[in-house]
Amino acid sequence: MTIYSDMQSTISDMVQKGKGILAADESAPTIAKRFKAIDVESTEENRRFWRSLLITTPKLGDYISGIILFEETLTQKSDAGAQLPAAAQQQGIVPGIKVDKGKIPLVNTEADQITQGLDGLGERLKVYKEQGARFAKWREVYPIGGHTPSRLGNHANAEVLARYAAICQSVGIVPIVEPEVLIDGDHTIERCAEVIERVQHAVYHALHRYGVILEYTILKPSMVTPGKTHATKATPEQVAEQTIKVLRRTVPAAVPSINFLSGGQTDEEATANLNAMNAGNPQPWELSFSYGRALQQPALHAWMGKAENAQAAQQALFKRARLNGAARYGKYGVGMEKE
Ligand code: 13P
C-alpha cells in the first residue's frame, strides 16, 4: 500500500455516518487533574485500567470510529492481554496518537501560546505507526484577550500546525488539525466568531503553502460560543448558526470531516450544540465530534477508581457515545437523556 491509500482507508474508517472520535489522550498533568477530581491517584496502572475500560466498552464501535491515545497507551495491554491499539481496532475503532508536546508562551507576545514537539516528529511517527497508530493529533491553543491572538500568534501557530500536518502525511499518517480557541473569558459570541474566522483562515492558508492534502485531514475546531464567564449563554441554534457561518467562510469543501472538541462545555451542551448543527441544511463536510471531557466525564464519575464500577462506567460512556451518535443525524432530544 502507498501512503496515499493508507491515508484514504484511514479516512474512510474514521469518517462514518452516526459516529465520531473519543479523545482519551490527556497528557500526564491533565489526566492527573481529571483523576484528582474523583480522588484517584494517577499511577500508570490506574491510567491503563481507565483507558482499557474505555476501549473495551461493549459495542463502542457502533458510535465511535476513532480514539486518540496518549503515547504510553500505545504499549499498554487490556486485562485480557491485548495491546490497547489492537483492542480498539478489534472494535472497529481506528487508533490514533497525540503527538504534540504541549504549549509554552510565545515570547514577545502578550498572551499567545505556541505548541512544541516538531523536532524529530517524523521519526517518532514511524514508531507510533508500527505500534498501530493510523492518525495523529496536534493542538495549538489560542486564548481570547484584548489583543490576543495577535497577528504574530495567529501566524506562528498556523505555521506549526501546517508543518506538523505535512510531516504526518509524509509517513502516511492522517493529521487531525486542532486549533483550539479557548472558551475562557467573558467575550461575546461575535468576538469568538471573529477570532475563529481569523485563526482558521490562517490555518488553511498555511496548510496550502505546506502542500498538505486536505482530503486526508480532519479539522478539530472549537465551536463558536460566548466566553465561559459571559453574562448569557447562547442557545444551540445560535451556536450552530455562528459556527457554520465561520466554517463555511474558512474550511474548504475538500476537508472530509469536522470533529469538534468540547472544550469545557458540559456533556449535554456539547451534544445539543452538535445536534443543532446537523439539524439544519446539509454542509460540504461531515459535522462530528472528537470529545474528551464531554464523553468521559459521566463515566469517570461512575467509576470513581473502583474496579467493581467498571461496568457502570462503560454504560455511562456508551450512553454519551450513543447520544452524540444521534446528534450526528440531528436526531437528539433532551428527553433521550432520561432513557
Ligand atoms: P475536550 O473535548 O475535553 O476539549 O478534549 C478534546 C481534546 O482532545 C482537546 O485537545
Side-chain angles (χ1 to χ4, degrees), residues 23 25 68 137 139 178 180 220 261-264 290-294:
D25 60 329
I68 315 173
K137 183 198 98 168
R139 170 176 178 254
E178 181 180 2
E180 177 172 4
K220 175 164 175 167
L261 58 94
S262 60
S290 174
Y291 296 157
R293 280 162 287 178

Side-chain angles (χ1 to χ4, degrees), residues 161-167 169 175 177 206-217:
L161 267 177
R163 283 187 61 198
Y164 141 80
I167 296 168
Q169 291 192 338
V177 172
L207 290 173
H208 173 74
R209 278 186 288 113
Y210 281 80
V212 173
I213 305 167
L214 296 182
E215 286 81 353
Y216 306 141
T217 65

